[in-house]
Amino acid sequence: MPLISNIENLPELAFDFVIVGGGSAGCVLASRLSEDNACKVLLVESGAYSRHPLIRVPTGVGIIWKQRLFDWQLNSTETPSLNQRKIELMRGKVLGGSSAINAMSHVRGAPADYDGWHDAGCDGWSYDEVAPFFRKSENWIGPPTDHRGCGGPISVSPAQSVDPLYEAWFEAAKSCGHEVIEDYNALPHGVPLEGFARSQQTIGNGYRVTASSAYLEGQQNRPNLCILTQTHVTRINFVGNRAQQIDVISGRDRCQKSFVIDGTLILSAGAFYTPHILMHSGIGPEKVLRQAGLSLRHKSEAVGRNYRDHIAVQINFRRSQKGEFHRQMRLDQLMVQFPMAALFGRGSATRLPGAMHGFVRLESSNASPDIQFLFRGAPKHAAPWWPIISSGYEDGFGIRPVLLHPTSHGTVEAVNTNPLNAPRIDGHYLQTTDDMERLLEGVDIALTLADDNALGPFRKDRKSPIPSKREQRIDWIRQTAVTAHHPCGTCRMGPDESDPLTTDLRLRGFDNLLVVDASAFPRTVSGNINACVYMMAEKIAETLKSPSP
């Protein structure tokens, strides 16, 4: 596996597959397609290769988020429905993509999500048809079940936090009439996703498992796989209906070069950059391209449209006594535990302070949950402390209602002819009344859980941390809501000619161009999206490896 950061060192080969984007989908595709020694594969990634300890050690994610490391530094436009705020939109710029900077949650979503895709005309994407590829990607380190994968590249383990706060949350959930379930990723077909459970995390042997570490490391002996890092694809050039060439800018000196496409081109640049590359290649909405000064090659009005994301608010509570994570953040503990985790995958720095997920349907007739609940056993302002100087930060905990299936949808657009300029991202978050009403219901459920007697010993006081009056609460939501970093749908598949992609993820109107990433989602899924992206890439890789009938 030649790993190349200098474009001049790339061997002169005729590649069967060129994959743009070394994130979750791109790493899967590069690994699976290069299993055939006769198949030559090139993976092109804008970010660098990194084994930084902040990526490898699970608790390093806090610093990554705070400093926005390994990140594209994207933000939304000012959003009228969120009090004119620009919303931070972290996306991974490193080999492994967002799997290297996310919260490590592994959630398939509801079986009904994929049956809904199928019912909307996406043949081949029902839950029965995608479940084998979820299993293929997984190495489940938990109670064995026929519904889980064992031996796959992605290690998935139950959350290891021993904070008694989570047992109290479970008791509160049961007291409030919610079910506590064993495994939200092992539901039999026909069983709705609903209830509260231990989180499942992409952590194996104490380390974060990224798409790069899972699918690419260990492939160093594959001469048919080349990985070109620190190289940004700016444009695709076409001859007739075939992608013939890609233009790139590489390295710190911004060396410009072009590569001939001898085989198939796969875009896996994510929900923001896949449509951006297409637009700079002349494919997209006519008006958007004209305003950006870009020539139109192929009109596809839905490219960059249908942007969906999960919107959430965080409700924080003061904690009566300092918890497990607070003790872990003591400086002398960190100085021992973080190196131990980085070197040996052991110790408290391998355990995240989030250990619980919940899923709730607001109407019993709904096939999929409306709200996901994420739990934190530490406040956002948690930081290292030293007892000689202070007793540390005020401890707390939080619950985060997440709106799973928003009716509001936004846009991603190229802004001018410079492909290095970030796309304009307008989320239209919480623009519809329906979205706000459902999120308000999620907030009500969260407060009811927190007010249960089971949480009493953990709360410093019973004062509501957010406004109680409806209009003030709505304003609080508009002032504090953020995304859960699950962008999708901007180059959706579907059966209609207006859908940019066919249901086998080929770009309509072109012979050798596919899109394989979250931009292809026709609808949102009920939870974090990374597991779904792994599944999608596994499924398409198998299709591409199989001989045509």
Side-chain angles (χ1 to χ4, degrees):
M1 180 189 74
L3 186 65
I4 303 162
S5 58
N6 186 341
I7 198 169
E8 299 300 329
N9 295 331
L10 186 69
E12 296 287 342
L13 295 175
F15 292 101
D16 300 285
F17 293 97
V18 175
I19 304 163
V20 177
S24 296
C27 289
V28 175
L29 291 162
S31 176
R32 294 303 191 191
L33 294 173
S34 63
E35 288 174 344
D36 179 356
N37 292 332
C39 182
K40 297 180 179 63
V41 179
L42 172 63
L43 176 63
V44 185
E45 163 58 31
S46 291
Y49 168 76
S50 179
R51 287 176 56 84
H52 198 290
L54 290 175
I55 294 177
R56 286 168 51 78
V57 176
T59 54
V61 69
I63 297 176
I64 289 175
W65 289 354
K66 185 175 182 179
Q67 300 184 16
R68 296 197 68 173
L69 303 175
F70 316 106
D71 178 26
W72 279 97
Q73 306 291 322
L74 296 173
N75 298 289
S76 77
T77 59
E78 291 183 354
T79 307
S81 52
L82 296 184
N83 291 356
Q84 300 296 334
R85 290 184 298 127
K86 293 183 178 181
I87 304 303
E88 164 268 304
L89 300 171
M90 283 188 294
R91 293 284 88 196
K93 188 179 182 181
V94 64
L95 191 62
S98 295
S99 71
I101 68 169
N102 65 11
M104 290 157 273
S105 294
H106 190 83
V107 181
R108 292 182 181 182
D113 296 335
Y114 304 99
D115 291 339
W117 289 12
H118 179 269
D119 293 344
C122 295
D123 293 341
W125 295 94
S126 69
Y127 188 69
D128 283 345
E129 292 166 299
V130 303
F133 299 100
F134 278 118
R135 293 194 294 270
K136 185 176 182 179
S137 70
E138 288 178 347
N139 180 32
W140 170 234
I141 307 169
T145 165
D146 292 341
H147 299 286
R148 301 306 301 267
C150 183
I154 302 295
S155 291
V156 182
S157 55
Q160 298 300 304
S161 173
V162 295
D163 193 332
L165 171 69
Y166 293 106
E167 290 306 317
W169 275 119
F170 284 129
E171 289 303 315
K174 288 188 285 187
S175 174
C176 294
H178 302 286
E179 187 178 356
V180 173
I181 58 178
E182 181 68 25
D183 185 347
Y184 49 75
N185 286 322
L187 298 173
H189 201 168
V191 175
L193 172 59
E194 190 166 33
F196 290 74
R198 274 262 158 184
S199 299
Q200 296 179 23
Q201 300 162 342
T202 50
I203 298 174
N205 297 318
Y207 296 108
R208 173 199 283 269
V209 178
T210 71
S212 173
S213 67
Y215 282 92
L216 298 181
E217 290 182 12
Q219 314 303 339
Q220 291 88 345
N221 296 324
R222 288 185 185 174
N224 60 321
L225 172 60
C226 292
I227 301 174
L228 181 61
T229 61
Q230 301 178 66
T231 300
H232 187 74
V233 174
T234 59
R235 179 182 172 87
I236 307 164
N237 299 302
F238 298 89
V239 174
N241 293 331
R242 289 186 62 81
Q244 187 71 18
Q245 179 180 285
I246 56 171
D247 299 337
V248 304
I249 295 177
S250 184
R252 294 180 180 177
D253 58 355
R254 296 193 172 183
C255 172
Q256 297 185 36
K257 193 168 181 176
S258 298
F259 296 110
V260 173
I261 306 297
D262 295 288
T264 299
L265 177 64
I266 304 175
L267 284 184
S268 297
F272 297 139
Y273 274 101
T274 282
H276 192 244
I277 292 171
L278 287 173
M279 290 178 193
H280 278 274
S281 306
I283 301 169
E286 183 175 7
K287 183 179 178 180
V288 172
L289 267 63
R290 185 173 63 249
Q291 290 177 340
L294 297 166
S295 300
L296 179 69
R297 177 177 182 83
H298 178 78
K299 183 177 177 181
S300 184
E301 291 296 328
V303 168
R305 300 300 188 243
N306 194 49
Y307 161 44
R308 307 293 176 101
D309 212 332
H310 292 150
I311 298 299
V313 287
Q314 177 86 15
I315 306 172
N316 297 306
F317 304 90
R318 297 194 300 166
R319 192 162 179 165
S320 58
Q321 296 180 348
K322 295 178 174 61
E324 175 197 25
F325 192 72
H326 191 281
R327 293 187 290 273
Q328 292 178 25
M329 293 298 285
R330 185 170 141 158
L331 197 57
D332 56 340
Q333 290 290 316
L334 275 179
M335 291 174 67
V336 173
Q337 295 297 325
F338 196 89
M340 183 183 296
L343 294 171
F344 308 111
R346 291 166 44 199
S348 60
T350 67
R351 300 194 299 267
L352 293 171
M356 187 174 169
H357 278 59
F359 302 90
V360 171
R361 294 182 296 164
L362 299 179
E363 300 287 343
S364 60
S365 59
N366 293 347
S368 295
D370 300 280
I371 302 292
Q372 178 183 16
F373 293 96
L374 306 176
F375 298 83
R376 284 178 59 99
K380 187 176 181 180
H381 59 267
W385 61 280
W386 181 242
I388 295 175
I389 300 173
S390 74
S391 59
Y393 58 86
E394 182 178 28
D395 207 0
F397 59 92
I399 180 171
R400 194 180 194 195
V402 183
L403 180 65
L404 290 174
H405 301 286
T407 55
S408 306
H409 52 90
T411 59
V412 177
E413 299 179 348
V415 295
N416 55 33
T417 58
N418 185 349
L420 297 181
N421 285 353
R424 179 191 297 113
I425 304 167
D426 187 347
H428 296 173
Y429 312 113
L430 295 181
Q431 192 174 55
T432 67
T433 301
D434 182 67
D435 284 354
M436 179 59 76
E437 291 300 324
R438 284 186 293 150
L439 190 53
L440 280 168
E441 287 189 67
V443 169
D444 285 341
I445 294 169
L447 292 173
T448 300
L449 287 166
D451 285 339
D452 188 82
N453 289 335
L455 270 298
F458 294 89
R459 291 185 60 175
K460 192 169 186 177
D461 55 57
R462 287 285 183 168
K463 182 181 178 182
S464 176
I466 66 172
S468 56
K469 292 184 178 179
R470 175 184 167 84
E471 291 306 316
Q472 291 176 340
R473 184 169 291 182
I474 289 174
D475 188 62
W476 171 80
I477 289 174
R478 296 197 187 282
Q479 190 59 40
T480 63
V482 293
T483 81
H485 304 113
H486 304 156
C488 63
T490 53
C491 197
R492 67 177 182 235
M493 65 168 149
D496 300 331
E497 288 300 316
S498 61
D499 297 317
L501 305 181
T502 64
T503 55
D504 56 1
L505 305 195
R506 294 187 177 274
L507 187 66
R508 274 195 165 82
F510 297 91
D511 296 336
N512 66 331
L513 179 52
L514 286 80
V515 170
V516 186
D517 58 30
S519 66
F521 289 15
R523 301 176 179 177
T524 53
V525 295
S526 301
N528 310 63
I529 63 174
N530 203 42
C532 182
V533 173
Y534 285 138
M535 172 278 292
M536 177 175 280
E538 288 275 17
K539 186 176 189 297
I540 295 301
E542 183 164 301
T543 300
L544 293 172
K545 289 169 67 176
S546 302
S548 300

